[in-house]
Amino acid sequence: MPKKVMIFPVNSLILYDLVSRFGHQPLAMMSKIAEKVRDPEVDSPPINITYEEPRHGLKYCAVEVPSGVRGRMALLGPLIEEAEAAIIVDDPDIEFGCSGCARTNELVIQMLHNKGIPILRLKYPRSSGEARDFVKSIVDFLKSIDGGAS
Amino acid sequence: MTVKVAQISCGTEYSGVQKEIARAAEKTEMELVFPEVDSSDIKRAMEAIGLSPASSGLKVMLARALVIVEGRADVDGAIVMTCFRCAEGALVRHAIRRFLHEKARIPVISYSFTERTKAENLLLRFEALSNMIKRRFLLARKKHEGLTIGIDSGSTMTKGVAMKDGEILAFHWLPTTEVVVSGLKVYKELLSKASISEGMVEAVGVTGYGRFMLGKELNANLMQEEITVCSKGASFLGKAQEGNATIIDIGGADNKAISIYDGVPYSFTVGGVCAGASGRFLEIAASRLGVDIETFGEIALKGDPRKIAMNAYCIVFGMHDLVTALASGARKEDVAAAACYSVAEQFFEQQFQEVEAKEPVLQIGGTSLIKGLIKAFEDTLKMKIVVPPYSQYCGAVGAAILSSGLLGRS
């Protein structure tokens, strides 16, 4: 059975591609933003988020948490709820992907851990050797979770 | 004239306020620019500014500031914004403001927003920034020349001064009834008190809430919002025209905290949600005690605020506490002191969340004459408060100074 795999950084194109290649469904920020941008009912450029989203984010964190975190969580929270597995890359380069907010990152990682789902947590590679090991670890993980294509 | 302003921010799009920012920019004829950066700029910016925030959105902000300093972005000013209650964002915001001010020498305004921020909340700031750009050389002016009149058409009081070569010739105030009627009465009274004819007046400057109506009637040379104008007046009268200073203004209906550098504002907050931290609350309290506002300030100095439980987070409940205290035999002095401390504490907790309190702290406006309030502020802020001479006329003096700059003498 293909699994819904949450990726972190939440907008990493490389992780998105790897998860897709092995037959799973990547859960990523891009797809949520694409839904927002295409929504003809809303006119709030650039990504059609209005003051409503930070309020929806209250489901995940209190009003004392900055609005930027709550707005991001309005998009990411439902993805975390759906997730059946997760790949978390620590200390990535900014080009690899980022949500822009370290506090959001902390909350996303904590919520994923609290779910009790299979999680692969690995460091961002800094050499070509590390990069090979990095990809191999991800591939092994994706194969290990039930139903992934070989 | 459209001005180009760099938006250096984190979280605006996820807070749903970007559209409001764009709307405020359009209303104030600003073109928002987002300086382009790459990853090498980020590393260099963190080294140059000396901050390494964890959030990549804040790292990009630092890089955008560096790009401006290096002259790779053609902008006239910058607005620096992060989420309200983000401590990391606040540190970055202040660091960028200082960096741009010192290295790029462009006007900068900083602001922390919530999802409730609307274009209307931003307009006064954007208008102030626009004035700081368009009238940069005017705002840098440190002296007054010629014979000019400045009028501050406030929501409660209309105040005016006539100035000649840096000296105040006459001053006058009236309660604001109709904006134009009150303004014209003050104007005529100034001419009379200063023994000058209308033809001798070289320029007129008007600020405050009624500036456009009154300015049009007086054919004023300058009609400008009160943030930049009061900053000029306060720094001139308080002899704080060089470096940092902070201005506190408890108005009749609202209150302001303004951070200034070299007499020009860079950050400010305007509160007005609750009258519990306004001059109006103190007026009502004085009336209930049966004394005038000046005596109220004097007796507050002799009181102990700790003896009264007062909640002035709401003017209604504040008055309720006051009446209850009096009914249970409390001394007038203690009640007056408690009212002053309540205003100071509420101001501290609300306005100083965004504005840095840098010395000298100048307290201006009519309420700066209430001695008990000044003591309450000194105890609350743990800082010495400076009340400049003519402190209630700072807006009018600022308008007189800035309008004199339009005479083209120096």
Side-chain angles (χ1 to χ4, degrees):
Chain A
M1 281 282 288
K3 291 277 194 276
K4 291 179 178 175
V5 182
M6 179 93 183
I7 59 172
F8 184 93
V10 293
N11 57 355
S12 167
L13 292 172
I14 292 173
L15 289 181
Y16 189 98
D17 180 59
L18 277 168
V19 172
S20 304
R21 278 174 191 242
F22 285 85
H24 298 291
Q25 181 188 340
L27 298 175
M29 180 76 115
M30 298 81 90
S31 45
K32 278 286 177 188
I33 288 178
E35 278 174 29
K36 283 272 159 206
V37 171
R38 289 190 201 110
D39 187 343
E41 300 291 317
V42 187
D43 177 26
S44 182
I47 53 176
N48 266 357
I49 284 179
T50 69
Y51 69 93
E52 291 289 345
E53 271 76 15
R55 292 181 186 194
H56 291 149
L58 286 170
K59 188 175 173 189
Y60 307 102
C61 43
V63 75
E64 67 182 343
V65 176
S67 54
V69 177
R70 286 184 279 117
R72 287 174 173 92
M73 288 311 296
L75 303 181
L76 296 171
L79 295 179
I80 297 169
E81 286 172 14
E82 276 186 69
E84 296 169 297
I87 299 171
I88 298 170
V89 178
D90 290 315
D91 303 322
D93 270 355
I94 199 165
E95 295 94 336
F96 187 74
C98 69
S99 76
C101 173
R103 305 290 87 81
T104 306
N105 292 347
E106 285 168 350
L107 186 55
V108 166
I109 290 171
Q110 189 229 6
M111 284 176 66
L112 286 170
H113 275 285
N114 284 352
K115 266 188 79 93
I117 55 176
I119 291 178
L120 174 67
R121 192 157 185 175
L122 61 177
K123 274 202 132 205
Y124 182 74
R126 299 285 164 188
S127 67
S128 53
E130 284 180 10
R132 273 193 293 275
D133 293 343
F134 176 81
V135 174
K136 185 174 183 310
S137 299
I138 292 172
V139 170
D140 290 346
F141 176 75
L142 291 170
K143 284 179 179 172
S144 74
I145 55 179
D146 191 22
S150 57
Chain B
M1 175 193 161
T2 301
V3 292
K4 279 188 180 178
V5 172
Q7 182 182 328
I8 302 178
S9 59
C10 176
T12 55
E13 63 279 51
Y14 288 103
S15 298
V17 296
Q18 188 56 47
K19 187 181 179 184
E20 299 299 321
I21 294 167
R23 204 154 64 83
E26 193 183 334
K27 283 190 176 184
T28 47
E29 296 184 328
M30 275 185 191
E31 179 190 341
L32 290 176
V33 175
F34 299 85
E36 285 194 23
V37 297
D38 61 37
S39 56
S40 69
D41 294 324
I42 290 172
K43 284 173 195 155
R44 289 189 306 109
M46 290 197 293
E47 281 169 18
I49 299 172
L51 263 183
S52 304
S55 296
S56 47
L58 300 175
K59 289 178 184 171
V60 171
M61 285 177 68
L62 296 175
R64 287 193 162 139
L66 181 72
V67 162
I68 292 170
V69 166
E70 290 180 344
R72 289 158 52 202
D74 176 26
V75 294
D76 305 307
I79 180 147
V80 187
M81 290 181 285
T82 59
C83 294
F84 182 58
R85 296 196 187 100
C86 176
E88 191 183 29
L91 292 175
V92 168
R93 215 172 60 234
H94 293 309
I96 288 177
R97 197 264 308 154
R98 272 191 289 268
F99 183 65
L100 288 177
H101 192 91
E102 286 166 11
K103 308 278 185 187
R105 308 298 299 173
I106 56 170
V108 181
I109 282 285
S110 76
Y111 183 61
S112 61
F113 53 83
T114 71
E115 69 271 29
R116 293 191 307 275
T117 298
K118 297 288 171 207
E120 288 69 26
N121 307 123
L122 299 167
L123 278 178
L124 183 62
R125 285 173 173 81
F126 279 37
E127 194 186 341
L129 180 61
S130 178
N131 282 330
M132 284 154 62
I133 294 167
K134 291 176 184 168
R135 296 182 162 164
R136 195 172 170 186
F137 294 104
L138 185 65
L139 291 178
R141 184 173 189 81
K142 290 182 177 155
K143 62 177 182 178
H144 174 269
E145 287 174 302
L147 176 50
T148 67
I149 281 181
I151 297 180
D152 179 358
S153 174
S155 59
T156 313
M157 299 288 178
T158 301
K159 293 150 279 185
V161 294
M163 289 182 76
K164 186 177 182 191
D165 296 331
E167 297 298 322
I168 295 177
L169 296 180
F171 52 87
H172 193 68
W173 67 269
L174 282 176
T176 304
T177 49
E178 288 177 58
V179 167
V180 173
V181 172
S182 302
L184 290 179
K185 277 185 185 168
V186 166
Y187 180 76
K188 283 177 184 159
E189 196 62 33
L190 289 171
L191 295 178
S192 166
K193 281 186 170 177
S195 304
I196 53 175
S197 65
E198 197 163 359
M200 293 165 73
V201 178
E202 293 175 88
V204 175
V206 186
T207 188
Y209 126 104
R211 63 187 176 279
F212 292 115
M213 275 176 76
L214 181 61
K216 198 174 166 191
E217 190 69 26
L218 287 171
N219 198 20
N221 307 69
L222 178 115
M223 289 175 267
Q224 197 157 307
E225 38 64 43
E226 53 269 40
I227 301 297
T228 50
V229 176
C230 285
S231 298
K232 182 49 61 185
S235 60
F236 177 83
L237 292 169
K239 302 194 187 319
Q241 299 208 71
E242 310 284 339
N244 285 299
T246 310
I247 298 168
I248 293 172
D249 182 5
I250 308 289
D254 64 14
N255 52 57
K256 302 179 193 78
I258 310 172
S259 296
I260 62 171
Y261 189 84
D262 287 353
V264 180
Y266 63 83
S267 180
F268 55 90
T269 57
V270 182
V273 176
C274 174
S278 73
R280 183 75 185 134
F281 172 66
L282 297 176
E283 257 180 22
I284 296 172
S287 165
R288 181 62 184 81
L289 294 179
V291 295
D292 61 46
I293 192 72
E294 204 170 326
T295 310
F296 177 84
E298 295 282 354
I299 65 170
L301 286 176
K302 297 171 192 157
D304 182 352
R306 292 167 299 182
K307 290 185 176 169
I308 310 291
M310 180 166 280
N311 171 16
Y313 277 87
C314 162
I315 194 166
V316 176
F317 290 120
M319 284 311 297
H320 179 262
D321 289 343
L322 188 149
V323 171
T324 306
L326 286 171
S328 56
R331 293 167 65 227
K332 276 186 178 183
E333 289 83 354
D334 296 338
V335 169
C340 290
Y341 275 75
S342 176
V343 169
E345 279 166 15
Q346 188 180 158
F347 185 91
F348 174 71
E349 285 173 21
Q350 294 185 349
Q351 305 310 331
F352 279 118
Q353 288 201 20
E354 287 179 55
V355 165
E356 302 166 301
K358 297 231 174 188
E359 291 186 282
V361 180
L362 311 169
Q363 189 145 352
I364 66 168
T367 52
S368 63
L369 304 177
I370 303 172
K371 289 180 182 165
L373 184 64
I374 301 302
K375 183 174 185 304
F377 266 100
E378 287 185 334
D379 288 351
T380 306
L381 295 178
K382 316 290 182 211
M383 286 178 178
K384 175 87 186 140
I385 302 282
V386 177
V387 179
Y390 302 104
S391 57
Q392 69 273 43
Y393 292 100
C394 282
V397 168
I401 294 170
L402 294 175
S403 62
S404 89
L406 299 172
L407 300 174
R409 294 224 174 120
S410 60

